[in-house]
Amino acid sequence: MADELDRRGLLLAGSAGAFGLYSWAAADAAAVPAKKKRLKLRRRAGTRPKNILVVLTDDHRYDAIGFMKAQSFGETPTLDRLAREGVHFRNAFVTTALCSPSRATIFTGLYAHQHRVVDNNHPIPAGLIYYPEYLRQAGYETAFIGKWHMGQETDQPQPGFDHWVSFKGQGTYLPGEDGLNVDGRKVPQRGYITDELTDYAMDWIDKRDGRRPWMMHLAHKAVHSEFIPAERHAGRYSGETFRYPDTMKPDVPGRPMWVENQRNSWHGVDYAYHGKLDIADYYKRYMETLLAVDEGLARIMDLLERRGDLDDTLILYMGDNGFMFGEHGLIDKRAAYEESMRVPMLMRCPSLFGPRTVEDIVANLDVAPTMLAAAGLEAPDGLAGMDMLPLAQGRAVPWRKDLVYEYYWERNFPQTPTVHALREDRYKYIHFHGIWDVDELYDLAADPQESDNLLARPGHEQLAERMSAKLFRMLEETGGMQIPLSPDAGERNELRDPKGSPAAPFPPRFYRPSGR
């Protein structure tokens, strides 16, 4: 496959190797029809399939949970309960901090460069297999309820699900003209979307007769912007005090020029969404919008308990990516900073494991193989993810010490370049493509806020070279040495405020007197 890509692509010379620049969408369109999917997996001996509930929220950053105490306000009693009674994966990440790529990774156990849903516009390649398809083949009843938003603006039922409730694109918090798609039928949206999705979820769960195991993927619109809390929660935190991040200040030494320039942009604190945004109020509405998610999960857990299923149901809660609220002068996601790529991940199933905190690096890559393991199935060959159940059970097993992050430049959001990063336990190396700027290297143990770029001064070249070599070796091994070329799509959010912060200068390391 790699040879075929190189023949089609325009090779670009680079210090770390050659990258093929080509259109994956065009390649898929020209491909021969996909072969019939092979969905039957080997069963694990001595295991009993668990009921599975995956709850996915949108843009929920890792520390926006009550027990993490990122701010002095923000209650999430149900999520706190999951952490207290189950497993808290403290170092959980997404491999691309963007809706569609992350969701495709959750369902496939593959990196974006493998499943090819590299942005919110690329179509889903024919023949891509979602792990619920394997579960359904193995006898599970399956349901998808909520935001699909993967590869295209569709609400049509997707493979692997017996029951389907979704909406087009981002959907709306309050009833809109598109409504919902329920098993292929157009149905009006009746009320606040978080509550309504919870109602659909509870109705389906309560109709299960216990003869077959079930799996539900409940994907909330919340807490995607623009944040609209339920009426009962609006203003809950209006009187609270928000602590602005230390890294929000401008002109930080060692900060890449593109990051400083992004302050005055759609995704920057000085011109957010091409207007003026109070970050404090924005975060308060975010946490108010999360309240309905927490309450809805409590209702579902109460239902499972009444049915006698709670302790034998694997509940996984996570976000599809993080969100920055002023860190590095930015809002939104896409960047390889912790607040963007790190997510909450909580898992509860007392019949499989007890309470604990896991420090190992886990990712959205690991959801598919873990859910297959909970169903008593061996994962198919070729997945990039790993089964997290041994970690949840406290067993000592070989595990990754590093993780690749990738994001590909979008023409409609031109502020953020193509990014590849290697995140180890201690160090993070961030490598940019298509810009004339400094890369980034952080010692996360000494500098968890990522405010001291070690590459801005001499002395860390060997460490950067080691991590760069490892990053590209991992990309090479997983078929990631291509940069996708996308046709123009969406509005171009490229404006700057003429009265806002000026363009940043080149990093000092690029200046050298002539004659040398």
Side-chain angles (χ1 to χ4, degrees):
M1 182 66 178
D3 291 341
E4 179 66 16
L5 299 181
D6 286 344
R7 285 196 297 272
R8 296 185 186 193
L10 169 65
L11 296 184
L12 300 178
S15 61
F19 280 76
L21 181 64
Y22 76 110
S23 171
W24 275 336
D28 289 330
V32 297
K35 295 180 180 179
K36 184 177 180 180
K37 296 178 180 180
R38 303 178 66 176
L39 300 177
K40 190 171 184 178
L41 299 178
R42 296 189 306 274
R43 293 190 179 271
R44 294 186 169 194
T47 60
R48 186 170 59 84
K50 301 296 181 184
N51 294 329
I52 295 170
L53 171 63
V54 176
V55 180
L56 182 70
T57 41
D58 199 309
D59 290 352
H60 191 183
R61 57 186 273 161
Y62 77 101
D63 60 356
I65 307 180
F67 71 90
M68 293 290 288
K69 300 188 183 303
Q71 298 284 337
S72 61
F73 61 92
E75 297 84 18
T76 57
T78 312
L79 299 184
D80 294 359
R81 177 188 175 186
L82 282 184
R84 186 173 61 251
E85 298 178 359
V87 175
H88 176 211
F89 293 96
R90 279 183 55 86
N91 290 298
F93 297 86
V94 297
T95 50
T96 302
L98 190 61
C99 284
S100 295
S102 180
R103 288 160 191 267
T105 293
I106 288 169
F107 275 121
T108 64
L110 301 172
Y111 280 106
H113 64 257
Q114 295 174 314
H115 59 61
R116 303 187 184 184
V117 182
V118 294
D119 55 31
N120 289 343
N121 300 310
H122 260 78
I124 301 168
L128 192 67
I129 299 177
Y130 313 129
Y131 79 83
E133 295 182 76
Y134 294 118
L135 299 187
R136 195 163 177 254
Q137 171 69 29
Y140 270 71
E141 297 179 287
T142 59
F144 180 91
I145 296 176
K147 177 181 173 179
W148 179 250
H149 196 259
M150 193 199 309
Q152 54 185 327
E153 297 288 301
T154 182
D155 60 3
Q156 292 300 308
Q158 298 293 315
F161 300 104
D162 298 303
H163 182 52
W164 179 266
V165 180
S166 191
F167 43 77
K168 291 182 179 179
Q170 299 289 356
T172 56
Y173 282 106
L174 302 175
E177 62 181 29
D178 284 333
L180 305 175
N181 184 317
V182 179
D183 294 326
R185 296 180 298 107
K186 187 171 182 177
V187 175
Q189 180 180 333
R190 299 187 304 272
Y192 187 66
I193 190 62
T194 305
D195 296 340
E196 191 157 352
L197 295 178
T198 298
D199 290 342
Y200 274 108
M202 293 182 64
D203 181 67
W204 188 83
I205 291 173
D206 206 28
K207 291 177 180 176
R208 300 310 97 207
D209 59 16
R211 289 183 293 182
R212 295 167 58 192
W214 55 264
M215 175 271 174
M216 173 183 287
H217 187 96
L218 173 58
H220 283 293
K221 171 181 171 57
V223 278
H224 194 280
S225 63
E226 287 290 314
F227 315 125
I228 300 178
E231 186 175 354
R232 62 188 181 277
H233 299 138
R236 170 79 66 88
Y237 301 128
S238 60
E240 301 290 346
T241 300
F242 175 79
R243 293 195 302 271
Y244 290 89
D246 293 336
T247 60
M248 186 170 164
K249 61 186 178 183
D251 303 320
V252 173
R255 177 177 286 167
M257 180 171 51
W258 75 264
V259 178
E260 192 68 25
N261 279 332
Q262 194 172 139
R263 296 181 65 88
N264 185 356
S265 81
W266 181 266
H267 286 150
V269 295
D270 293 345
Y271 198 32
Y273 306 131
H274 294 163
K276 295 298 182 183
L277 180 71
D278 186 319
I279 298 294
D281 288 343
Y282 201 49
Y283 183 85
K284 292 173 186 178
R285 293 202 308 273
Y286 175 82
M287 294 305 294
E288 290 170 356
T289 304
L290 185 62
L291 287 168
V293 173
D294 195 86
E295 288 180 356
L297 181 55
R299 291 173 56 204
I300 294 173
M301 291 178 69
D302 288 345
L303 171 63
L304 292 173
E305 190 164 30
R306 291 195 301 270
R307 289 171 53 89
D309 295 333
L310 179 60
D311 288 352
D312 210 30
T313 297
L314 178 66
I315 300 175
L316 172 68
Y317 178 93
M318 65 179 294
D320 69 343
N321 48 249
F323 201 90
M324 294 176 287
F325 285 93
E327 288 84 6
H328 312 280
L330 308 180
I331 61 168
D332 201 74
K333 54 260 187 180
R334 292 173 170 83
Y337 297 126
E338 296 286 278
E339 299 82 9
S340 170
M341 62 184 286
R342 194 171 168 190
V343 295
M345 185 180 286
L346 309 168
M347 196 160 69
R348 182 190 188 277
C349 187
S351 64
L352 278 178
F353 48 79
R356 63 177 40 83
T357 298
V358 171
E359 300 289 346
D360 299 83
I361 293 174
V362 299
N364 53 350
L365 286 170
D366 303 320
V367 173
T370 303
M371 298 304 104
L372 292 174
L377 300 172
E378 296 286 351
D381 294 334
L383 299 192
M386 304 164 67
D387 172 17
M388 297 182 291
L389 288 183
L391 298 181
Q393 293 165 342
R395 290 191 275 146
V397 294
W399 198 257
R400 71 170 66 91
K401 298 297 182 184
D402 41 45
L403 188 73
V404 169
Y405 176 85
E406 59 187 335
Y407 166 77
Y408 298 98
W409 178 80
E410 300 166 276
R411 188 169 177 82
N412 51 329
F413 294 103
Q415 302 88 355
T416 305
T418 292
V419 179
H420 286 88
L422 180 69
R423 207 280 190 187
E424 297 181 337
D425 288 336
R426 178 172 178 179
Y427 294 104
K428 181 191 288 184
Y429 170 70
I430 310 176
H431 181 98
F432 305 113
H433 301 276
I435 55 171
W436 187 11
D437 212 333
V438 65
D439 289 333
E440 295 176 273
L441 177 66
Y442 297 106
D443 181 343
L444 298 172
D447 177 30
Q449 293 184 328
E450 300 170 293
S451 60
D452 180 17
N453 183 7
L454 301 179
L455 291 182
R457 58 183 184 275
H460 301 91
E461 292 81 4
Q462 282 191 319
L463 175 58
E465 289 174 6
R466 175 188 70 78
M467 295 188 72
S468 178
K470 184 196 288 189
L471 168 65
F472 284 99
R473 184 170 63 250
M474 293 173 72
L475 287 170
E476 184 89 49
E477 291 170 349
T478 59
M481 295 294 283
Q482 297 86 34
I483 297 178
L485 178 64
S486 301
D488 289 355
E491 297 180 1
R492 295 203 67 189
N493 300 286
E494 60 187 2
L495 303 180
R496 290 175 65 81
D497 182 354
K499 297 181 180 180
S501 51
F506 274 88
R509 60 172 286 186
F510 288 145
Y511 289 96
R512 183 177 299 175
S514 60
R516 284 191 171 183

